[in-house]
Amino acid sequence: MALSSIFSGNNNNAEQQQPTNTTTTKTPLVSELKQQISQELAIANATELVNKVTENCFETCMKTPYAEGNDSCVDSCLAKYMRSWNSISRAYIQRIQQSPDKNA
Amino acid sequence: MSQSTTSANISQADLQNLDDNSKKDIMNFLEVENSKQKVQMSIHQFTNMCFKQCITNATNPELSAGEEQCLNNCVNRFLDTNIRIVKGLQNIQ
């Protein structure tokens, strides 16, 4: 799962993965609902990410008594956090694919 | 915020008038999204935890080989621990 899916809201996916059941009436309401659900999830994920990166980069880059900022550290910390996210995502998905029954 | 726009755009009556196939469709969609979301939240949790343990300075935006290995190990050891704990608890019962 790519990180980009966090922000996209995954609308294309939501629309296309249905194997168009013959009897399913493709009401606009259904796709609207799906779209809103995807959007809510994307917002929740983005919020979580912002909070976690801020927390970690604040801890990494700022020193008591917080007299001065350190923008360059924050910038590279953000980049590093995103790389870590991707790396961990890969490791975790590899792990759950190896033993799908063992992990909660 | 987004909650209010949801209820504004889609009325209760509309929802009640959904046919069974549409309901099933949405249930399936929710189930898939729900499990994807669980994975996402686990990754958030692991990244938060392992970044703290493995990354000590952020002057270089690239991950070093050592840091990458540490992150990878961190996830795997956490899951090992999780499995071990579940087994341990099962033995107690």
Side-chain angles (χ1 to χ4, degrees):
Chain A
M1 175 172 322
L3 185 64
S4 58
S5 66
I6 281 185
F7 299 107
S8 70
N10 247 345
N11 296 330
N12 296 341
N13 239 344
E15 290 314 306
Q16 282 156 13
Q17 84 193 172
Q18 289 308 320
T20 38
N21 217 320
T22 43
T23 42
T24 305
T25 41
K26 268 288 190 178
T27 55
L29 182 58
V30 171
S31 42
E32 199 182 328
L33 267 173
K34 286 182 184 176
Q35 200 173 333
Q36 288 199 3
I37 291 164
S38 296
Q39 215 164 54
E40 302 277 339
L41 289 172
I43 291 169
N45 272 314
T47 307
E48 179 77 4
L49 185 69
V50 170
N51 290 338
K52 296 294 189 222
V53 183
T54 305
E55 179 191 321
N56 277 286
C57 293
F58 179 81
E59 281 171 19
T60 308
C61 295
M62 303 300 162
K63 301 280 176 277
T64 47
Y66 306 121
E68 54 204 39
N70 191 349
D71 284 350
S72 70
C73 177
V74 173
D75 289 347
S76 63
C77 178
L78 170 59
K80 204 161 197 173
Y81 197 92
M82 300 311 279
R83 291 194 169 99
S84 301
W85 205 98
N86 285 325
S87 182
I88 284 183
S89 169
R90 250 178 280 125
Y92 179 49
I93 285 169
Q94 194 182 7
R95 176 74 182 245
I96 41 184
Q97 279 170 351
Q98 274 168 13
S99 49
D101 50 329
K102 286 184 186 166
N103 305 304
Chain B
M1 174 187 74
S2 42
Q3 208 76 28
S4 59
T5 56
T6 302
S7 42
N9 288 343
I10 298 173
S11 75
Q12 281 291 344
D14 284 342
L15 289 177
Q16 270 155 8
N17 287 334
L18 279 172
D19 58 80
D20 283 353
N21 273 320
S22 298
K23 282 179 189 163
K24 211 181 279 176
D25 189 1
I26 288 168
M27 289 297 280
N28 284 339
F29 178 77
L30 277 176
E31 211 168 298
V32 172
E33 290 304 308
N34 194 18
S35 50
K36 281 193 331 203
Q37 190 58 23
K38 278 187 193 160
V39 173
Q40 291 270 25
M41 289 322 264
S42 296
I43 299 172
H44 280 302
Q45 185 204 340
F46 299 154
T47 309
N48 183 41
M49 183 179 64
C50 297
F51 189 91
K52 287 189 203 314
Q53 305 296 327
C54 296
I55 312 297
T56 45
N57 84 77
T59 46
N60 182 359
E62 303 289 334
L63 289 172
S64 72
E67 286 169 337
E68 184 130 25
Q69 188 63 59
C70 177
L71 292 171
N72 199 315
N73 291 341
C74 174
V75 174
N76 279 298
R77 293 301 82 73
F78 183 86
L79 293 171
D80 289 346
T81 309
N82 181 256
I83 292 166
R84 185 90 191 154
I85 297 290
V86 171
K87 278 188 186 148
L89 286 171
Q90 281 167 347
N91 289 340
I92 292 171
Q93 287 186 332

